[in-house]
Amino acid sequence: METLLTEGGTILAAFWMTVRLTAVSALGSLVLGVLLTAMRVAPLASLRAAATAYVSVARNTPLTLVLLFTGLGIGANLGLELSDDLAANNFWLAVIGLTAYTSAFVCEALRSGLNTVPVGQAEAARSLGLGFVKTLGLITLPQAFRAVVAPLGSILIALTKNTTIALVVGVSEASVRMREMIETYGDQVIEIFLGFAAGFVLLCLPMGLLFGWLQRRMAVAR
């Protein structure tokens, strides 16, 4: 416990990096996931095929390989630099990988939510002259969001835990700091592990409670 208190500043900084990775990647995943969802249900077969292929590949590829591709493939081999600072550049490369991976799960959750919306509502919207984009954005997608609040919460919690793999591209988040402390204080492994485990519980538990409340609050009566 004394070690955790002594290293409190660096531990908080590491968890702050985890929070930043989660927040930015979640926003990117939501935007890309909505776009993929629109493509999955678009009237054009080419868009549906492209989105289906992307989601299938992303969901069946280990996240470690995705991050290796962004870090080594895009970052090292292609020379993509999103910042002059190495740490910031690694952060954005990790965000790209996490977003590319998580957005596929967001897409599938939203698509399942769209399946709960009665077909008659989309038909009524089209009869009023609304096109595909307006029907999706104004009628069906808002209801889909309400139907899949809990699955989206589970995806966010999974994303928070998946940030531990960001060490593949050199991002020093909480799990990296835990490994460093275990190597330095080898006689206090259990205390260090329990301390970091408690930190992740404090991050994830409020998310679960919040999304559980939102699910009850926004439940759609059928």
Side-chain angles (χ1 to χ4, degrees):
M1 181 62 68
E2 182 179 351
T3 300
L4 294 175
L5 294 176
T6 303
E7 300 286 344
T10 57
I11 293 174
L12 289 177
F15 272 105
W16 175 239
M17 176 61 72
T18 296
V19 171
R20 288 173 56 202
L21 271 175
T22 301
V24 179
S25 300
L27 180 59
S29 299
L30 182 61
V31 173
L32 183 55
V34 169
L35 178 61
L36 289 170
T37 303
M39 294 173 64
R40 289 292 303 266
V41 298
L44 294 178
S46 58
L47 291 179
R48 295 197 303 271
T52 300
Y54 178 91
V55 170
S56 298
V57 171
R59 292 181 68 201
N60 291 285
T61 302
L63 178 56
T64 303
L65 292 182
V66 175
L67 290 175
L68 280 173
F69 174 76
T70 57
L72 298 179
I74 298 178
N77 293 332
L78 298 182
L80 177 63
E81 293 187 3
L82 301 172
S83 174
D84 294 332
D85 181 68
L86 179 60
N89 191 63
N90 289 341
F91 171 84
W92 287 112
L93 289 174
V95 166
I96 291 174
L98 289 168
T99 297
Y101 180 80
T102 308
S103 60
F105 294 88
V106 173
C107 170
E108 286 300 276
L110 289 176
R111 193 169 68 91
S112 67
L114 286 175
N115 291 334
T116 67
V117 180
V119 178
Q121 296 199 20
E123 294 176 346
R126 286 194 293 269
S127 69
L128 293 174
L130 296 180
F132 168 75
V133 175
K134 287 187 176 181
T135 299
L136 184 67
L138 299 177
I139 306 298
T140 56
L141 196 57
Q143 295 183 69
F145 268 107
R146 294 181 64 178
V148 296
V149 169
L152 289 178
S154 298
I155 292 171
L156 179 60
I157 292 173
L159 172 60
T160 303
K161 294 183 287 187
N162 285 341
T163 59
T164 57
I165 309 179
L167 62 91
V168 170
V169 291
V171 178
S172 298
E173 40 70 54
S175 67
V176 174
R177 184 55 189 152
M178 181 182 70
R179 288 179 176 84
E180 293 174 348
M181 289 184 63
I182 288 176
E183 291 176 358
T184 303
Y185 307 99
D187 59 334
Q188 303 178 47
V189 173
I190 296 178
E191 291 86 345
I192 294 171
F193 175 80
L194 291 177
F196 277 87
F200 276 100
V201 169
L202 290 175
L203 283 181
C204 296
L205 183 59
M207 295 182 195
L209 296 175
L210 174 61
F211 278 90
W213 176 81
L214 287 175
Q215 181 187 24
R216 296 188 296 271
R217 179 81 173 180
M218 303 177 68
V220 180
R222 299 295 184 190

